[in-house]
């Protein structure tokens, strides 16, 4: 028995792919919006983040990072635009989009793991005032350990999302959805 290709309109659309695409579309738009804040007139970025230069604490660390943001902003904007483009293509079920999105998920997986590994080094780059204010005088390690724990939790959640999305996009049913071919019968 041979299987014939079904018309694109007749192919079922998996909810997981649709939700994944819309989630990354919204995330990309949010990142682009946040990155565009410095383009607004006045001190919009500083006001939004509650940054007071020289105030110490984590806001001082945020200010330090904001002062050196040009290269990072460019990379983040490029990544957000690529993610937005791939998400829209994924939503439209373009044949190349699934493979490209899997590659994006692999890059995200590796990037988050690398970022999580480098997070402790970030604290060494912050001015002393930033780390001094983050530490509770009664329990000097608790503040930084709590922050690292939160960052590791977020990194773990992103890693799990990227791994799940990469796996889901390689399942036979989803591959068939993008290739416009029916899923072969098992058995």
């Amino acid at each position: 028995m041979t299987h014939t290709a079904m018309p694109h309109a007749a192919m079922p659309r998996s909810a997981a792919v649709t939700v994944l695409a819309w989630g990354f579309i919204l995330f990309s738009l949010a990142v682009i919006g946040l990155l565009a804040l410095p383009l607004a007139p006045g001190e919009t970025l500083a006001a939004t983040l509650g940054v007071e230069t020289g105030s110490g604490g984590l806001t001082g660390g945020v200010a330090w990072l904001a002062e050196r943001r040009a290269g990072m902003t460019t990379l983040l904007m490029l990544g957000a635009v690529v993610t937005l483009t791939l998400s829209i293509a994924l939503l439209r079920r373009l044949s190349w989009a699934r493979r490209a999105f899997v590659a994006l998920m692999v890059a995200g997986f590796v990037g988050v793991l690398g970022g999580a590994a480098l997070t402790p080094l970030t604290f060494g780059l912050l001015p002393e005032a930033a780390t001094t204010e983050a530490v509770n005088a009664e329990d000097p390690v608790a503040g930084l350990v709590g922050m690292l724990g939160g960052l590791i939790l977020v990194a773990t959640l992103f890693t799990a999302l990227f791994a799940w999305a990469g796996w889901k996009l390689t399942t036979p049913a989803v591959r068939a959805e993008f290739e416009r071919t029916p899923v072969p019968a098992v058995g």
Side-chain angles (χ1 to χ4, degrees):
M1 175 188 251
T2 61
H3 294 280
T4 59
M6 296 171 62
H8 185 58
M11 290 297 297
R13 292 178 159 249
S14 62
V17 173
T18 300
V19 169
L20 182 69
W22 274 111
F24 276 93
I25 288 170
L26 294 174
F27 179 74
S28 298
L29 290 174
V31 168
I32 291 169
L34 287 173
L35 292 174
L37 279 177
L39 301 176
E43 300 293 324
T44 306
L45 179 62
T48 302
L49 297 174
V51 172
E52 293 178 27
T53 306
S55 67
L58 293 179
T59 56
V62 171
W64 183 84
L65 291 173
E67 292 168 359
R68 292 152 181 85
R69 73 183 181 278
M72 188 61 95
T73 298
T74 302
L75 288 175
L76 287 172
M77 185 64 82
L78 180 63
V81 169
V82 167
T83 301
L84 179 62
T85 303
L86 289 178
S87 298
I88 291 169
L90 191 70
L91 187 62
R92 294 180 61 209
R93 306 306 198 270
L94 298 178
S95 60
W96 56 267
R98 184 188 64 80
R99 290 183 301 278
F101 208 84
V102 168
L104 180 68
M105 293 298 97
V106 169
F109 184 87
V110 170
V112 169
L113 286 179
L118 293 176
T119 298
L121 297 176
T122 305
F123 288 102
L125 299 175
L126 294 175
E128 176 135 354
T131 54
T132 303
E133 292 294 322
V135 176
N136 179 350
E138 295 172 10
D139 190 2
V141 180
L144 292 176
V145 170
M147 285 177 24
L148 283 174
L151 289 171
I152 290 170
L153 177 63
V154 169
T156 302
L157 292 174
F158 273 117
T159 303
L161 171 66
F162 294 152
W164 175 82
W167 166 79
K168 185 65 177 175
L169 291 171
T170 60
T171 61
V174 171
R175 281 196 329 258
E177 184 177 336
F178 281 82
E179 295 167 359
R180 298 182 176 107
T181 57
V183 178
V186 179

